[in-house]
Amino acid sequence: MTATFIGVRHHSPACARLVADTIIALRPAYVLVEGPADMNPRIGELLLGHDLPIAVYTGYRDAERRHGSWAPLCDYSPEWTALTAGRDAGAQLRFIDLPAWHPALAEVRNRYADAEARYAEVTERLCAAFAVDNADALWDHLFEIEPADGLAERLAAYFDLVRGDARPAADDVAREAYMAHWIRAAVADAGDRPVVVVTGGFHRPALVRLAEEGDRSWPELPEPPGGAVVGSYLVPYSFRRLDAFDGYQSGMPSPAYYQHLWESGPREAARRLTEAVTTRLRARRQQVSTADLIAAGATAEGLAAVRGHVCPARADVLDGLASALVSEALETPLPWATGGRIRPGGHPVIVEMVAALSGDRVGRLHPSTPLPPLVHAVADRLRAMGLDGSGEIRLDLRKDADLERSRLLHRLRVLAIPGVVRDSGPHPAGDPVPAEQWTLTDSDDRMPALIEAGGYGVDPGEAAAALLAERVSGPPADLDVLAGLLFDAALCGVGELTGRVLDDLARAVRAAADLGSLGRTLNVVLAMWRHDGLFHTGGGPAFGTLIAAAVDRALWLAEGVRGGPAPADPRRIEAMAAVRDALTHAATPLGLDVAAALGVADRVAAFSDAPPDLRGAAFGLGWSLRGTAAADPGRAVRGTFTPALAGDWLAGLFALAREEVLHTPGMLELLDELVEAMTDDDFLIALPALRQAFAYFPPRERHLIAARLVALRAGGASGPDLMRLDATPELVAAGMTLDERVDTVLRREGLITS
C-alpha cells in the first residue's frame, strides 16, 4: 500500500476538513504530520484536552546562537485535525519534520509559515488570471468558498504549480529528505494498510517523488550539539498572535472569520463577520445604521456574484462594509487587498474591522500540561512577595524586603514579561531616588512569555543573568547599550556580570567617538560607584578606573568638537554635566586631575568655533568647579546674547552652573535686561532655545525666577495674576505679532505718530 499525500495550507478550514474526511474514510495505520519529530514521545501531552489555539514553543541556546520557534495549532489547522482524526481512527501518530532547533530551521520563527510566499511570481500570475487582489483572496476563491468536490485534486494541481521547477533551498532539501525517510519507514511497517501524510503543500511534490526509493528503516532523531540548552513546551496562544494582519507569518488572516467558516460554513461566517464588525464599531461609538448594513449586504452579494462566488467570501463582505461605512477617501490601501501586516495610518473604521476579524479568543492549557520550571518559580515568588495581583506597587529600596521585590520585578522586566511596568525609580542620570513605582497587570501573554524565557534558566535570577550575559557576549555593542546592561545588571542584583560589562565598557570608552554616549556611560558608572547602599556594587577599583578614563576621554572629545552655531545637543550637555559630577564627587578619592579639566573648560569656553551649547557648558563647568567664574559672567553672557546663539549658550550654562546663576547678584536682572532689549522679531527667533535653556531649572526654581522678575517689574508687587497667564505662550506670541502688524499699519496711514 502506498501513502496518500495531502498538501495543505496551514490554518485552512478547507484543508482541515479534507484531512479529517480522508482519515475517517481510509482508517490508516499511520498518520504522518509535518511537525517537530522530537515531540513524538509527547503527542499524548498535545492531546490532553486543551482549549485551542495553543502552540509548541521550542527554545534553543548554545554558545553561538539562540533560537525560538513556534508551531501554532487551532481548531481548523489541518495538522490538528490530522492528529485528532488519526487518534479517533486508531492510527499511529508521528511528527516527521526536523526539530525546531535544527540548523535547517534556524531562520524559521513560525514553522507553519506559507512556503509559497517565497515564490510570489507564481501566485502573482494566478491572482492576475483569476482577477483577485492577493494570495488570500485567491485561496478563498479557489478553495474555501467553492464546494468540496474534487478539492484534493485542485489542491495537488495548485501546489504542483506553486512549486513548479524552482530549485528549493538547501534547508528545504534537508527537511524533505528527513520527512521522506519517515514516510518510507511508515509505509514499509504498515504493510497493506494505508498511510496518510499531511504536510505543507509546497513540500508535497518533492515528498511524492522522494518516498519512492531509499532507506526504509526508521530514521534517527537528530541530537542537539553538546552544551546546547533545548526545551519544547506547549503554550497558550491567541487569535491576535495568529493573525497575519498582526504580523504572523502563516499568511492566513482573520482567524475569527475562519473559525466561523470552520464551524458553520461560508454563508454563516459572512453573517457573523458583519455582526462582529457592527458590534465592535458600535462599542466604539461609531454610527452603524440599519441602512448601512443593508447597503453593505447588498454590495457584498453583488460582488460575490461578479466574482463568481456561490456566497460572499471574506473579501466580498469586507469590501461591502467598507463601501457602506467609509465615505471619505482612504490614505492607505485596504489591508485585505494588500495582505500582510496592517499599515500605519489606516482609517479608524478599517482598523476596527480588521480587529473584529481577528477575534479575542485565547487558548488555555489543560491543568496537567507540563510547564518549564521558570513558570512555577515566578508564580511562587510573586505569590510569596505579595506581587501576584494587579495594581500599583510602591517600593522603598532602603528596606531589604522591598529591595528583593524590586529585583524580582526587574528580572521579569529584563525578560520582557508582559504586565510588569516600572513607572519611576532609580535612573542613571542624577542622584538615584530610593523608591520605585510599578504597575502590575494580568496579561494573557504572560505565560507564553515565561515559557519562552524558560530557556534561559529555572528561576528568575538565573534566567535574567543568562539573558544579560548573552547580550554582553553578543555582537559588539555601543556604549549606550553596554551602560544600559550594566545598570540592568545592578537593578536585577546580578553582581557577577558587572566585571564582564566593565571590561567591555573600558575597551569601548578608550575608543569612544560620541560625547553623548560617553556621558551616559559615565553617569551610570558614577551612580553605581557612589551609591553602594542602593546598588550593592560598591566603590570598587574597576569602577574608579573606568570613571577616570571616561572623564579624560570626554574632555578630550569636548575640546575637539567644531562646527560653530548649532542647536543645543542635550546629550552633549549631559555629558559635560556628568564630567562635572565626577570631578565634584570623585576627584579626591580617584585622583582626578581637576586643574587639567579646568584648562580644557577655559579653552572650550573661549573657542569661537565650538558650538554655543558646548561653550556655555564649558563656562559653567569652570564656574561650578571653582566656585567663581574665571571670566566676568556678565560679560560672557552679553558677548553671546544674540537671537541665534543666546538660548543654546544658556542651555549649556544652566545645565552646569544652575546654582551659580541663581545666587550671583545681578545675573537674573542682566538676563531680563537683555531679553527686554530684543526686538519682537529677535525674541521670536530666540524663544524656542530660551525655553529649552530655562527647562534645566526644576519647577520650584523656575517659580523663584518668575517671582523675582515679577517683583522687579512690578516694583515689589507680586501675585498669582502676574505669575500666570490663561493663554498659552504660543497664543501670546501670535497676539504680539498681530499687535505689531496693526501698529505698523496705523503708523503707515498716519493714524498714530508716537
Side-chain angles (χ1 to χ4, degrees):
M1 179 69 70
T2 59
T4 297
F5 295 85
I6 306 176
V8 301
R9 186 181 185 187
H10 306 297
H11 315 307
S12 160
C15 292
R17 197 168 289 109
L18 173 65
V19 167
D21 291 345
T22 302
I23 292 173
I24 292 170
L26 295 180
R27 300 193 65 81
Y30 284 93
V31 173
L32 308 180
V33 181
E34 179 185 337
D38 54 342
M39 282 296 291
N40 281 331
R42 300 169 58 188
I43 287 181
E45 178 186 324
L46 193 61
L47 298 172
L48 277 174
H50 315 284
D51 296 332
L52 272 61
I54 61 172
V56 178
Y57 172 75
T58 300
Y60 174 88
R61 177 164 52 90
D62 65 18
E64 301 298 327
R65 69 181 179 99
R66 185 180 189 277
H67 178 60
S69 174
W70 303 83
L73 298 164
C74 59
D75 288 332
Y76 54 86
S77 297
E79 297 79 10
W80 179 254
T81 58
L83 294 173
T84 54
R87 174 197 58 190
D88 295 343
Q92 296 289 317
L93 307 176
R94 297 288 187 273
F95 286 124
I96 62 173
D97 200 359
L98 291 167
W101 57 261
H102 194 278
L105 290 106
E107 302 301 321
V108 177
R109 179 69 173 167
N110 290 293
R111 178 184 292 271
Y112 296 140
D114 279 344
E116 64 265 26
R118 289 172 285 171
Y119 299 87
E121 182 181 348
V122 175
T123 53
E124 286 175 5
R125 286 194 282 112
L126 288 171
C127 288
F130 286 95
V132 295
D133 290 325
N134 54 48
D136 295 327
L138 175 69
W139 183 266
D140 286 350
H141 177 76
L142 293 177
F143 305 113
E144 300 294 346
I145 303 302
E146 293 297 317
D149 295 342
L151 178 60
E153 292 76 14
R154 292 206 309 275
L155 284 169
Y158 174 80
F159 287 119
D160 284 344
L161 185 59
V162 167
R163 176 77 176 226
D165 56 0
R167 188 167 189 166
D171 294 345
D172 286 324
V173 171
R175 293 177 61 191
E176 288 164 358
Y178 188 70
M179 288 191 279
H181 196 166
W182 275 97
I183 296 167
R184 292 192 299 268
V187 169
D189 190 66
D192 60 354
R193 294 189 61 193
V195 173
V196 173
V197 182
V198 179
T199 65
F202 173 80
H203 300 298
R204 180 187 178 278
L207 294 178
V208 171
R209 174 176 50 82
L210 293 170
E212 293 297 324
E213 295 182 2
D215 187 0
R216 294 182 179 273
S217 63
W218 291 107
E220 294 182 1
L221 186 66
E223 292 292 333
V229 179
V230 183
S232 292
Y233 293 93
L234 299 186
V235 299
Y237 218 62
S238 66
F239 273 179
R240 179 182 59 80
R241 298 185 71 186
L242 195 65
D243 194 348
F245 286 137
D246 200 48
Y248 175 59
Q249 296 173 343
S250 76
M252 291 293 281
S254 312
Y257 167 79
Y258 287 106
Q259 182 73 32
H260 295 319
L261 183 64
W262 165 251
E263 294 173 346
S264 310
R267 189 165 292 279
E268 179 65 11
R271 186 193 68 78
R272 291 191 184 184
L273 167 54
T274 302
E275 181 182 274
V277 170
T278 303
T279 301
R280 187 175 183 90
L281 288 174
R282 286 175 174 171
R284 301 297 190 276
R285 301 185 182 277
Q286 294 284 338
Q287 184 175 357
V288 182
S289 67
T290 302
D292 291 333
L293 295 178
I294 292 172
T299 302
E301 291 286 350
L303 289 171
V306 170
R307 293 167 177 172
H309 300 156
V310 295
C311 63
R314 184 183 67 102
D316 301 331
V317 178
L318 290 171
D319 286 339
L321 287 166
S323 68
L325 301 178
V326 180
S327 56
E328 60 266 39
L330 296 175
E331 296 182 0
T332 59
L334 293 171
W336 53 88
T338 56
R341 185 186 290 271
I342 189 168
R343 301 179 184 180
H347 192 283
V349 170
I350 301 300
V351 173
E352 293 299 332
M353 288 170 62
V354 170
L357 289 168
S358 181
D360 55 7
R361 179 175 295 195
V362 178
R364 293 289 183 271
L365 296 179
H366 188 275
S368 301
T369 307
L371 297 172
L374 180 66
V375 177
H376 301 294
V378 168
D380 292 343
R381 300 279 179 85
L382 289 174
R383 191 181 307 110
M385 294 183 178
L387 300 172
D388 53 335
S390 296
E392 294 184 352
I393 302 292
R394 183 171 179 81
L395 303 177
D396 184 347
L397 302 182
R398 294 165 296 190
K399 299 178 180 178
D400 290 343
D402 277 3
L403 182 60
E404 285 304 308
R405 298 166 89 197
S406 169
R407 287 178 172 176
L408 173 61
L409 294 176
H410 276 293
R411 291 164 184 173
L412 298 180
R413 175 186 62 81
V414 165
L415 292 169
I417 305 304
V420 180
V421 177
R422 188 174 80 146
D423 302 312
S424 63
H427 57 91
D431 293 336
V433 294
E436 282 184 332
Q437 185 83 24
W438 294 81
T439 299
L440 306 182
T441 55
D442 193 18
S443 171
D444 291 327
D445 293 330
R446 178 174 291 183
M447 183 179 288
L450 283 171
I451 292 173
E452 185 172 357
Y456 283 109
V458 299
D459 66 66
E462 178 185 331
L467 176 58
L468 290 170
E470 178 183 274
R471 292 176 180 170
V472 171
S473 60
D478 61 25
L479 279 170
D480 279 339
V481 173
L482 288 170
L485 290 174
L486 181 65
F487 202 65
D488 278 339
L491 294 173
C492 291
V494 184
E496 62 269 20
L497 272 181
T498 55
R500 296 176 58 187
V501 182
L502 286 171
D503 289 343
D504 287 342
L505 272 174
R507 287 189 291 272
V509 162
R510 287 192 288 269
D514 178 65
L515 185 57
S517 296
L518 187 60
R520 182 171 187 267
T521 300
L522 179 55
N523 262 326
V524 171
V525 178
L526 183 64
M528 295 174 68
W529 179 83
R530 290 179 59 201
H531 303 285
D532 175 45
L534 195 59
F535 299 118
H536 296 276
T537 48
F543 283 89
T545 302
L546 189 54
I547 290 169
V551 168
D552 288 345
R553 185 71 177 180
L555 290 170
W556 184 83
L557 289 173
E559 194 162 13
V561 176
R562 302 287 187 272
D569 181 351
R571 284 168 55 88
R572 184 164 58 205
I573 294 173
E574 289 165 10
M576 296 300 288
V579 170
R580 176 206 58 198
D581 292 342
L583 293 168
T584 300
H585 300 292
T588 300
L590 298 183
L592 303 182
D593 192 340
V594 177
L598 289 172
V600 171
D602 293 343
R603 289 193 295 273
V604 173
F607 189 47
S608 59
D609 283 347
D613 63 318
L614 187 58
R615 292 170 57 201
F619 189 90
L621 176 62
W623 194 355
S624 63
L625 291 179
R626 291 187 177 96
T628 182
D632 178 10
R635 182 177 179 182
V637 171
R638 289 182 185 276
T640 58
F641 214 87
T642 63
L645 302 179
D648 300 320
W649 190 89
L650 288 175
L653 175 66
F654 292 165
L656 275 290
R658 194 182 76 241
E659 293 287 336
E660 287 75 10
V661 169
L662 275 179
H663 297 104
T664 297
M667 281 300 299
L668 291 180
E669 290 76 8
L670 172 61
L671 291 171
D672 180 58
E673 173 194 332
L674 294 172
V675 170
E676 182 184 19
M678 286 183 167
T679 66
D680 290 345
D681 288 341
D682 287 346
F683 177 72
L684 291 176
I685 292 171
L687 180 59
L690 286 172
R691 293 183 66 182
Q692 181 182 15
F694 278 93
Y696 282 99
F697 290 96
R700 188 169 181 271
E701 292 180 0
R702 289 202 297 270
H703 179 84
L704 174 64
I705 293 170
R708 285 173 58 180
L709 292 178
V710 166
L712 177 66
R713 290 284 177 173
S718 65
D721 291 340
L722 294 175
M723 294 285 289
R724 293 182 178 86
L725 289 175
D726 293 331
T728 64
E730 291 80 8
L731 183 60
V732 172
M736 293 172 63
T737 301
L738 180 60
D739 286 344
E740 184 178 2
R741 290 176 180 172
V742 170
D743 188 66
T744 299
V745 171
L746 292 175
R747 291 181 184 280
R748 186 185 66 210
E749 300 298 328
L751 297 177
I752 58 174
T753 56
S754 59

